[in-house]
Amino acid sequence: MRTSTERGASSRGRLRRAAGYLLYALFAVVLSLWLMFPVQSVQRLLQDALSGIVPGVEWRVGRVELRLPLILRVENVFAFLPANRETPALQVDRLDVGPNWDASIRNRDLWLNYDLRIGAGVIQGRLRRQPQPGQFTVHGAVQGLPLAAVPLLAGKLGRQLEGTLSASYEGKGCPGADHACLWNMQCKIASGKLALARPMLRHTELPFSLVSLLVHGKGAEMTIAEGKIDSPLGKGWFNGSVTLAADPLQSLLKLRGGLHPQPALFKHFENTVELQAVRRELEKKPLPFSISGSAVQPGVHFESMAMQISTLEKETR
């Protein structure tokens, strides 16, 4: 008759053998995937996926490889606008995607980590595919992304856009037309400038030291809250909404805000009686403004001070 000690030793032996078989099986699977990894098929799959996410752009995927343990690495992904198929509008230097073992085991579901490098910028987070077909949950953060390294944004906008982006975001759903995608983002853009679609008080660009805002999205509707701007032209606030269109240039803006001007805002004007009157008015309240129209051709209206500003802009130096 076997003793309890012998039975325990036998159980431990079976567990060790089972663990050994499991590790061997995992090693065999990983090795097979690594040796038979379908590089060209994955390249085509990625190009098709990117074309669906950002239509109207030609995508070219460079090196693709499977690294141990189960990390998909993609290098040198280029995006080209139809108007210029020689100079990339975006270059992704590297993308790593692999399982998040801790979150997957804890939640009993597959979570993936992603690590994206664009120039000096880093975008990291995790992604989970939901039980519903084509739907996902995503969390992530952007650190130090220079917008100059993403000329695709300025190319789509049709105007120069510079600055360094930092952000945190989360979302769930599907970006497709038949599903509502819910997402939130808190972002900051530092040390930048935006070329204006039309001159404003004879300024052709808006420089800024910092722009920050909160964005809440549901499907094609975006709500912008707690918007703040710190610029050499003035400090201000803004909020409102954006309705996204299939063509991003035709997305509709509805924003309102106020600006406490700095002297540089009126540097293109003589110190006339009209300008002195405007400055006295702005000692009592911020300069109100609203922005409406499409993203490519927005209009700026100075609301209750529209007539005084219009009079100033008609002056000649």
Side-chain angles (χ1 to χ4, degrees), residues 221-235:
E221 298 297 324
M222 294 169 47
T223 300
I224 295 176
E226 299 184 28
K228 297 178 182 178
I229 181 169
D230 190 345
S231 165
L233 305 184
K235 294 184 178 182

Side-chain angles (χ1 to χ4, degrees), residues 131-244:
Q132 299 88 346
Q135 299 205 36
F136 299 87
T137 298
V138 63
H139 304 268
V142 182
Q143 301 175 10
L145 176 63
L147 297 181
V150 193
L152 177 62
L153 294 176
K156 285 286 189 179
L157 190 62
R159 301 193 300 279
Q160 183 183 20
L161 175 62
E162 297 180 6
T164 301
L165 173 66
S166 300
S168 60
Y169 56 88
E170 60 181 8
K172 63 180 180 178
C174 176
D178 297 331
H179 300 84
C181 182
L182 301 174
W183 55 278
N184 301 296
M185 179 172 64
Q186 182 173 16
C187 69
K188 297 179 179 180
I189 305 175
S191 303
K193 61 183 177 181
L194 170 66
L196 300 175
R198 301 184 183 92
M200 180 190 70
L201 292 169
R202 299 182 183 165
H203 292 278
T204 58
E205 64 181 24
L206 175 62
F208 55 85
S209 55
L210 183 65
V211 172
S212 62
L213 64 156
L214 295 176
V215 183
H216 306 284
K218 182 177 181 179
E221 298 297 324
M222 294 169 47
T223 300
I224 295 176
E226 299 184 28
K228 297 178 182 178
I229 181 169
D230 190 345
S231 165
L233 305 184
K235 294 184 178 182
W237 59 271
F238 60 94
N239 53 44
S241 65
V242 178
T243 301
L244 300 175

Side-chain angles (χ1 to χ4, degrees), residues 248-316:
L249 299 181
Q250 301 306 317
S251 297
L252 298 179
L253 311 178
K254 292 183 180 179
L255 303 173
R256 293 189 70 250
L259 185 71
H260 296 279
Q262 294 291 335
L265 183 64
F266 300 108
K267 70 179 183 179
H268 297 299
F269 299 93
E270 299 286 355
N271 190 25
T272 60
V273 172
E274 288 80 7
L275 179 57
Q276 292 174 18
V278 168
R279 282 177 165 158
R280 284 195 299 269
E281 185 75 13
L282 294 178
E283 289 175 357
K284 307 172 189 176
K285 63 179 182 180
L287 176 63
F289 66 85
S290 59
I291 301 174
S292 60
S294 67
V296 68
Q297 283 293 333
V300 180
H301 187 257
F302 292 106
E303 299 187 344
S304 62
M305 296 197 65
M307 187 172 293
Q308 295 98 309
I309 298 300
S310 178
T311 300
L312 276 182
E313 291 186 320
K314 290 177 181 177
E315 292 181 3
T316 57

Side-chain angles (χ1 to χ4, degrees), residues 51 54-59 78-82 152 156:
S51 297
V54 187
V57 175
E58 179 185 335
W59 293 91
F78 298 95
F80 296 86
L81 293 172
L152 177 62
K156 285 286 189 179

